[in-house]
Amino acid sequence: MAAPLSDNPPADPSSPGAERQRDPDRTRVEILDVATREFSEQGYAGARVDEIAAKTRTTKRMIYYYFGSKEQLYLAALERAYATIRSTEQELDIEHLQPVEAIRRLAELTFDHHESHPDFIRLVSIENIHGAKHIAKSESLPGLANPALDVLTRILERGRADGDFRDDADALDVHMMISAFCVFRTANRHTFNAIFDRDMLDPTHRDHYRTMLGDMVLEYLTACRGR
Amino acid sequence: MAAPLSDNPPADPSSPGAERQRDPDRTRVEILDVATREFSEQGYAGARVDEIAAKTRTTKRMIYYYFGSKEQLYLAALERAYATIRSTEQELDIEHLQPVEAIRRLAELTFDHHESHPDFIRLVSIENIHGAKHIAKSESLPGLANPALDVLTRILERGRADGDFRDDADALDVHMMISAFCVFRTANRHTFNAIFDRDMLDPTHRDHYRTMLGDMVLEYLTACRGR
DNA sequence: CCTGTAATGAACTATCTGGTACGTTCACGG
DNA sequence: CCGTGAACGTACCAGATAGTTCATTACAGG
């Protein structure tokens, strides 16, 4: 179910035939894959450069060769994670739907998409612990446009024009509402389960939460306008 | 605005008159206060025992004297944070209200209460990064009853009986919905602000989000039943 | 006033950890 | 075929860090 953050195939057949012994691209990606996992599971300070190297088919020297420092490696992992997420958001094709159906579809796609990328959610949690200071240092991340937000803006406009949606619904607010629900389910899974004995990510409850999210957003937006 | 996790007054006047040089209780509490801040700002691995000691009026030796290890100190901070939160939840007095008003009030109190205890939220985020393994080790935390949840259960029952609320509304789901919104606002404040340039905790937007939460929950629960 | 003990402090240690110096090997263009 | 630079591996280091040792002091109860 959970997809890796890198979309590369296991073996790169661009140069046909045999495995290459030296393959900078593969090495870089492999380091990033392991780093993403380690950082998301241990936190920034908790992750060990030695451990990341050990879980790679290369050595610690290569990490410093390609990324320069632990912090830059972390940032590279974070940047790639955001890039991956954003690229999947590009693909959402819902603007041909009626506003109400489009919103439900958007919510469900966001839901699926958070569920498929737990590493990303965890990385974002970690980044928040550190006050988003690494994002601030990044050249690509601050203010990174969110394609989903643009789509949402246009759907809301149409919905308001049709009289289906309330007038004071701001796109960023609705985006936040959806994110909050999806992020919480993944990010707070363990404490929630420990305290309330309910695993929010248990496949048994999946459809229930998915429907619930759509209902929640739509009831809020339509607010007794009789659908 | 943000309240400290310990409710003790700065100076303990139980033994009247002068400052005591030896004060185990004060020392313990002071260590916990600093530890809570450090862990919540740096993460578990990122927090430094030496740094915690330095920000206290006592020494590292005392941390090990009272708490035994870094991990037990962290757990003690986490347990105290949960205890503080739960004790404030005991005080909510809303069962005399009509279901609709009670739900809005509950949502608002939860909202205020999360806003007042950012350290708690951050600690919970950190605990989730580590798969809630410390909670699992704790004797007091797993399955810790949530008074707010009991109150919520009874309000929902009344609301359903009155025909105000939908039939399939589960107390834990509604609690999750409210928590998700409140937790997200605090826990993801920094990345959200970095990407979207909106500080969800800016006092300017406070009332807006507070109302939005109440609307969201109530629209979901009433779902076009004409209020 | 005396004394046992809880509370406290300074300095120390073993280990871990991010980072580096330096040497080696592969692959590709000429 | 060759040499040049990118890609890689080994071994090491200096500083940091959790945890400890041992001596000392304040204070409650007698």
Side-chain angles (χ1 to χ4, degrees):
Chain A
M1 182 66 75
L5 244 19
S6 68
D7 295 329
N8 62 310
D12 181 6
S14 64
S15 60
E19 291 271 328
R20 292 181 41 183
Q21 293 196 9
R22 303 260 169 127
D23 192 335
D25 291 339
R26 192 177 58 70
T27 302
R28 261 190 80 100
V29 167
E30 192 178 346
I31 292 173
L32 273 180
D33 286 343
V34 176
T36 299
R37 217 176 58 230
E38 288 296 302
F39 281 125
S40 75
E41 286 174 6
Q42 313 284 342
Y44 174 73
R48 302 289 166 227
V49 177
D50 281 302
E51 187 64 20
I52 293 171
K55 292 183 176 172
T56 297
R57 270 174 297 178
T58 182
T59 64
K60 182 165 62 158
R61 178 71 186 78
M62 286 298 95
I63 293 176
Y64 286 92
Y65 183 71
Y66 284 116
F67 298 98
S69 70
K70 181 183 183 180
E71 193 170 357
Q72 286 173 274
L73 173 61
Y74 168 80
L75 183 57
L78 192 66
E79 284 176 343
R80 196 190 58 165
Y82 267 104
T84 305
I85 295 293
R86 287 297 133 88
S87 79
T88 72
E89 282 180 355
Q90 301 278 18
E91 294 167 18
L92 48 86
D93 173 36
I94 54 178
E95 296 209 50
H96 58 93
L97 298 172
Q98 291 301 314
V100 168
E101 276 313 304
I103 290 290
R104 184 173 292 274
R105 192 91 191 94
L106 175 65
E108 288 178 350
L109 286 173
T110 306
F111 182 95
D112 297 343
H113 157 281
H114 278 70
E115 187 166 86
S116 306
H117 296 88
D119 280 355
F120 172 70
I121 309 290
R122 297 162 72 89
L123 237 32
V124 171
S125 287
I126 289 162
E127 182 60 9
N128 273 289
I129 296 292
H130 298 99
K133 70 176 174 188
H134 303 98
I135 289 185
K137 277 184 198 171
S138 167
E139 292 177 7
S140 63
L141 293 181
L144 178 63
N146 185 333
L149 194 58
D150 296 336
V151 173
L152 180 56
T153 303
R154 289 191 292 270
I155 296 173
L156 286 181
E157 274 170 14
R158 276 169 45 213
R160 274 195 298 264
D162 295 354
D164 290 336
F165 294 162
R166 59 197 293 167
D167 294 325
D168 61 345
D170 175 54
L172 196 46
D173 285 342
V174 175
H175 174 74
M176 176 224 173
M177 197 182 227
I178 296 172
S179 289
F181 190 94
C182 298
V183 167
F184 184 86
R185 205 171 72 103
T186 295
N188 287 59
R189 171 189 197 180
H190 296 107
T191 56
F192 199 87
N193 193 29
I195 302 286
F196 298 116
D197 196 33
R198 181 180 299 179
D199 182 357
M200 295 182 286
L201 284 178
D202 189 313
T204 311
H205 306 126
R206 199 190 105 99
D207 289 347
H208 169 69
Y209 283 122
R210 219 168 96 112
T211 305
M212 184 176 153
L213 169 64
D215 288 355
M216 180 185 89
V217 177
L218 279 176
E219 296 299 348
Y220 172 78
L221 281 176
T222 57
C224 297
R225 279 178 170 67
R227 285 175 68 83
Chain B
M1 184 64 77
L5 244 20
S6 68
D7 296 330
N8 61 309
D12 181 7
S14 64
S15 60
E19 292 270 329
R20 294 180 40 184
Q21 294 196 8
R22 302 259 170 128
D23 192 335
D25 290 340
R26 191 176 58 69
T27 301
R28 261 190 79 99
V29 168
E30 192 178 345
I31 291 173
L32 273 180
D33 286 343
V34 176
T36 299
R37 218 176 57 230
E38 289 296 303
F39 281 125
S40 74
E41 288 175 5
Q42 314 284 344
Y44 174 72
R48 301 291 167 223
V49 177
D50 281 304
E51 187 64 20
I52 293 171
K55 292 185 176 172
T56 298
R57 271 174 298 179
T58 182
T59 64
K60 182 164 61 160
R61 178 71 185 76
M62 288 296 94
I63 292 176
Y64 286 93
Y65 183 71
Y66 284 117
F67 298 97
S69 70
K70 182 182 182 181
E71 192 170 358
Q72 286 173 276
L73 173 62
Y74 167 80
L75 183 56
L78 191 66
E79 284 177 343
R80 196 189 58 165
Y82 266 105
T84 304
I85 296 293
R86 287 297 134 87
S87 79
T88 72
E89 283 180 353
Q90 300 279 16
E91 294 166 18
L92 48 86
D93 173 36
I94 55 176
E95 295 210 50
H96 58 92
L97 297 172
Q98 292 300 315
V100 169
E101 276 313 305
I103 290 290
R104 184 172 291 274
R105 190 92 190 93
L106 175 66
E108 289 177 350
L109 287 172
T110 305
F111 182 94
D112 297 344
H113 158 279
H114 277 69
E115 187 165 86
S116 307
H117 297 89
D119 280 355
F120 172 69
I121 309 290
R122 297 161 72 90
L123 237 32
V124 172
S125 287
I126 290 163
E127 182 60 9
N128 273 289
I129 296 292
H130 299 99
K133 70 177 174 188
H134 304 98
I135 290 185
K137 278 185 197 170
S138 166
E139 292 177 7
S140 63
L141 293 181
L144 177 63
N146 185 332
L149 194 58
D150 297 335
V151 173
L152 180 56
T153 303
R154 289 191 293 270
I155 296 173
L156 286 181
E157 274 170 14
R158 277 169 45 213
R160 273 194 298 263
D162 295 355
D164 290 336
F165 294 162
R166 60 198 291 167
D167 293 326
D168 62 346
D170 175 54
L172 196 46
D173 285 344
V174 176
H175 174 73
M176 177 225 173
M177 196 183 232
I178 296 172
S179 289
F181 189 95
C182 298
V183 166
F184 185 86
R185 206 171 71 102
T186 295
N188 286 58
R189 172 190 195 179
H190 295 107
T191 56
F192 197 87
N193 192 30
I195 303 286
F196 299 115
D197 196 33
R198 180 181 298 179
D199 182 357
M200 294 183 286
L201 283 178
D202 189 314
T204 311
H205 306 126
R206 198 190 106 98
D207 289 347
H208 170 68
Y209 283 123
R210 217 168 96 114
T211 305
M212 183 176 154
L213 169 63
D215 288 355
M216 179 184 89
V217 177
L218 280 176
E219 297 299 347
Y220 172 77
L221 281 176
T222 59
C224 297
R225 278 178 171 68
R227 283 179 66 88

